[in-house]
Amino acid sequence: MELTERSSQLGLLERRLADLLRGGTSPTDRPVTVLTGPVGSGKTALSQTFARRACDAGARVIGASASRAERSVPLEVVRQLVRAVPSCAADAPDIRARLARLLDAGALAWSDADPADAENARLTAAIGRALLELTSRGPLVIVVDDIHHADVPSLRCLDYVARRLSGLPVLMVLTEAPRTRPWQADVHAEMLQPAKLHRIRLPLLTAEGTFQLLAQRLDIPLARSIAEESHRISGGNPLLVHALADDQAAAPRSADAPAVGESFREAVLSCLYRCDRLVLNAARVLAVTGEPLHGSLLPHLVDARLHPALGAVDKSTSAGLIDEQGLRHPAVTQAVIDGMTAEERVRLHLGAARLLHDDGAPPARIAPHLVDIGELAEPWMAQTLLDAGEQALLDGEVETALRYLRRAHRSGVGECLRARIRSALARAEWRLDPQATIPHLVSVATAIRAGHLGSQQAAGPIQYLLWHGEIDKAVDLVRHLSERSDPADPQSVAELLIITGWISTLYPGVMVDRPAPAVAARDPLTLARVKHGLSGVILLSGVLARGDAGVVEAAERTLSTTGPDDEPHMWRVICALIAMIYADRLDLADDWCERLDRHLATPHHPTPSATLTALRAAVAEPASWPTRHWGSSRRKAGGW
């Protein structure tokens, strides 16, 4: 791995080496140098570069690399150092042979006894003295990578050596990644005492450093164009930046945004697996919940035994992947999710959903966790998906609403709840394709007749029946609702008054019974609700019945404050536009159609846009519009 923004750290190591070679003894009273930095920050690359330069300068170098998988193998790190001796000290076969015997004896002793046993202490001292004898052949550099993964016996031997390096021609260089909890804390603390350490920290790359590293791998103009976003994605972790360069090089064509592919996903998982287990678990929880690092769910969804160490999860211990806001970028989140099994994802989603429900969180926050789990085993789950779906509809997020509602519909729920779900599905499907509502309308009509739906849930489906020309069915359902409604319920009365008002205006030849007068119908709030719900048809009836020229001004006020982005607004907008057309203000109607279509908040939802386009077509062909004189025909207003 190329060294970028590491010249100052390499310079420090080279100055210590120069002092060692010049004086023949350890350059300071702190002969141990520790390179520390997040996983993937280039500690190994820096130590290897320094080792090569030390060899070139005439020092003897022996090196080893510790591994988490070999933590339980006694003296594995020291054994690697001894194996490196032949290439650097071929004149010391007796020392190598003696070390080999001591290591064999030590491996057996540490496997069978307490590490603090007196015999083990004697072996530690013997191995340490043999290693120190290597210094009699000239300057020696000992390099151990990932010392935080070293086995305990090796740590004790290295500690023995480090405490006796003063005045000897030895420089010990170790690399260490910050951990949430040290491995074998007592031995680790003894080995890495600040008093005998010179610590060199490797930060993550800056944005300019990210560009420099990319420029070593890619064309400079391409590297410059993707450097800023690459830095945001990677956090300046060199391993991740190299992975992004690999993905970019493999991409079919150059782009202004980094290509995030398999190399990046593998690099993210590699970093997490090389961090503490707690960091990996925390990353999975954060990926599933989308919460910040100090959110309420993380402490409950990681292993309870690891709670005390949660405060140590940060940029340094997580390879720059986790910050205060959680996982640093959506690309990292996706990589973590892709690296989980389906069972792991379901377990975390289910746990998060239950915790949020118990805490009284809003349905919109709980529903994303319920979509991908298996069975909706608890009664509140389907209801939560329905509530979240209806809220998403109000917010204009139709695809999200459909995802929640379809998942709720697949669950085993009672007839009343299923009817409400089908009604909401019809309203959601309408935004994308009116024809797709028909299967839901059949079920909704049955549910209304069975008394499973009230007027509030039935209003939308009844309008869709009218749209599809099923006028008699719509009137029959209104009759069923009127028979079953509670006259004392203001909301029920308001909905029925709105439905019957729409039918009476848009289908003047259709006889529909209005709700009987009741206290609720005279309630000021109910009357205001009805007036607001009928505002569109009031405009239309004004121009149809009375030729009221003032309707145009009122229609413009409606259009200036209302857009066709949700269903009630869409009907009002349509009526206001038709009122303009019947008032012979075709130019104004066409201008408003264009303006509204251009500023649709959700232009990817076809129904509102298609409706506006149809109205513009009607404006362009005014002869296609029916006469204003309705007589007793059952023809729809405007022919739509």
Side-chain angles (χ1 to χ4, degrees), residues 433-624:
D433 179 9
Q435 195 70 18
T437 63
I438 293 177
H440 301 300
L441 295 180
V442 175
S443 297
V444 169
T446 302
I448 292 173
R449 294 189 183 96
H452 296 321
L453 286 178
S455 54
Q456 185 177 11
Q457 294 82 25
I462 287 174
Q463 285 178 314
Y464 308 148
L465 286 171
L466 294 172
W467 177 283
H468 288 295
E470 301 289 349
I471 302 170
D472 293 334
K473 290 182 181 178
V475 172
D476 179 61
L477 294 180
V478 172
R479 180 177 57 79
H480 277 280
L481 290 171
S482 297
E483 291 172 353
R484 295 175 180 272
S485 68
D486 180 2
D489 177 15
Q491 189 167 341
S492 176
V493 171
E495 291 293 347
L496 279 172
L497 287 171
I498 292 170
I499 294 171
T500 55
W502 273 88
I503 295 177
S504 299
T505 302
L506 300 180
Y507 301 85
V510 175
M511 300 300 296
V512 58
D513 296 331
R514 291 180 178 272
V519 175
R522 294 191 293 271
D523 174 67
L525 291 177
T526 302
L527 292 174
R529 178 184 176 89
V530 172
K531 184 178 180 181
H532 181 70
L534 292 176
S535 59
V537 293
I538 290 172
L539 284 173
L540 187 54
S541 63
V543 72
L544 289 175
R546 301 184 300 277
D548 188 353
V551 164
V552 174
E553 184 178 342
E556 283 209 275
R557 282 198 302 270
T558 297
L559 295 175
S560 64
T561 58
T562 306
D565 294 298
D566 66 49
E567 192 174 316
H569 288 169
M570 187 177 76
W571 298 117
R572 284 195 288 276
V573 166
I574 291 172
C575 284
L577 290 169
I578 295 175
M580 284 182 176
I581 292 170
Y582 274 102
D584 292 329
R585 292 302 310 271
L586 302 183
D587 55 337
L588 198 58
D590 183 66
D591 178 64
W592 273 106
C593 284
E594 181 182 5
R595 196 184 312 178
L596 291 168
D597 193 32
R598 190 167 59 246
H599 294 97
L600 271 173
T602 51
H604 54 293
H605 298 159
T607 302
S609 182
T611 304
L612 292 172
T613 301
L615 287 172
R616 292 195 71 189
V619 168
E621 295 290 340
S624 66

Side-chain angles (χ1 to χ4, degrees), residues 124 192 225 250 269 325 332 348 368 471 511 558 600 632:
T124 297
L192 301 181
S225 68
L269 295 178
Q325 303 306 312
V332 174
L348 290 176
I471 302 170
M511 300 300 296
T558 297
L600 271 173
S632 60

Side-chain angles (χ1 to χ4, degrees), residues 176-500:
E176 179 193 37
R179 319 296 292 171
T180 59
R181 297 174 304 162
W183 164 250
Q184 294 294 339
D186 55 340
V187 183
H188 191 269
E190 180 68 23
M191 173 68 190
L192 301 181
Q193 291 182 43
K196 60 187 179 186
L197 288 183
H198 182 78
R199 193 175 292 274
I200 299 177
R201 302 182 187 278
L202 276 65
L204 296 170
L205 300 178
T206 63
E208 180 61 25
T210 300
F211 161 68
Q212 292 174 13
L213 195 153
L214 289 171
Q216 296 171 9
R217 304 282 310 280
L218 306 169
D219 292 339
I220 291 178
L222 175 59
R224 179 62 73 187
S225 68
I226 67 172
E228 185 176 350
E229 182 62 19
S230 294
H231 185 258
R232 275 196 291 269
I233 294 173
S234 67
N237 185 305
L239 181 64
L240 300 183
V241 177
H242 274 286
L244 288 172
D246 290 339
D247 285 332
Q248 194 69 47
R253 59 188 179 85
S254 299
D256 292 335
V260 179
E262 192 62 30
S263 293
F264 180 79
R265 287 191 288 272
E266 289 178 354
V268 168
L269 295 178
S270 174
C271 285
L272 289 174
Y273 279 110
R274 289 163 60 191
C275 294
D276 289 343
R277 183 72 182 181
L278 173 60
V279 173
L280 175 61
N281 290 343
R284 287 172 171 171
V285 172
L286 296 174
V288 166
T289 63
E291 280 206 325
L293 177 59
H294 300 297
S296 61
L297 297 179
L298 179 60
H300 299 282
L301 294 176
V302 298
D303 190 332
R305 295 170 296 178
L306 304 178
H307 285 182
L310 271 176
V313 177
D314 57 18
K315 286 184 180 180
S316 64
T317 57
S318 69
L321 297 172
I322 298 175
D323 57 23
E324 291 293 315
Q325 303 306 312
L327 291 177
R328 65 167 302 103
H329 194 275
V332 174
T333 298
Q334 191 58 52
V336 175
I337 288 175
D338 290 344
M340 299 170 64
T341 65
E343 292 76 11
E344 288 170 333
R345 290 194 297 270
V346 167
R347 178 181 62 80
L348 290 176
H349 277 302
L350 187 57
R354 285 174 171 155
L355 286 168
L356 290 170
H357 176 261
D358 292 344
D359 287 344
R365 192 176 172 204
I366 305 172
H369 298 296
L370 297 175
V371 172
D372 296 322
I373 67 173
E375 180 185 0
L376 300 179
E378 299 175 40
W380 58 268
M381 293 179 171
Q383 180 65 56
T384 297
L385 285 166
L386 171 60
D387 294 342
E390 291 184 324
Q391 183 59 52
L393 271 179
L394 290 176
D395 297 338
E397 299 171 358
V398 180
E399 287 82 1
T400 299
L402 283 171
R403 192 156 53 94
Y404 295 161
L405 295 170
R406 286 168 179 167
R407 180 64 189 91
H409 185 253
R410 292 197 304 270
S411 63
V413 296
E415 290 300 320
C416 289
L417 184 56
R418 184 172 296 280
R420 288 185 58 196
I421 294 169
R422 292 300 290 263
S423 173
L425 273 170
R427 300 199 302 275
E429 296 280 12
W430 172 264
R431 305 288 295 173
L432 303 180
D433 179 9
Q435 195 70 18
T437 63
I438 293 177
H440 301 300
L441 295 180
V442 175
S443 297
V444 169
T446 302
I448 292 173
R449 294 189 183 96
H452 296 321
L453 286 178
S455 54
Q456 185 177 11
Q457 294 82 25
I462 287 174
Q463 285 178 314
Y464 308 148
L465 286 171
L466 294 172
W467 177 283
H468 288 295
E470 301 289 349
I471 302 170
D472 293 334
K473 290 182 181 178
V475 172
D476 179 61
L477 294 180
V478 172
R479 180 177 57 79
H480 277 280
L481 290 171
S482 297
E483 291 172 353
R484 295 175 180 272
S485 68
D486 180 2
D489 177 15
Q491 189 167 341
S492 176
V493 171
E495 291 293 347
L496 279 172
L497 287 171
I498 292 170
I499 294 171
T500 55

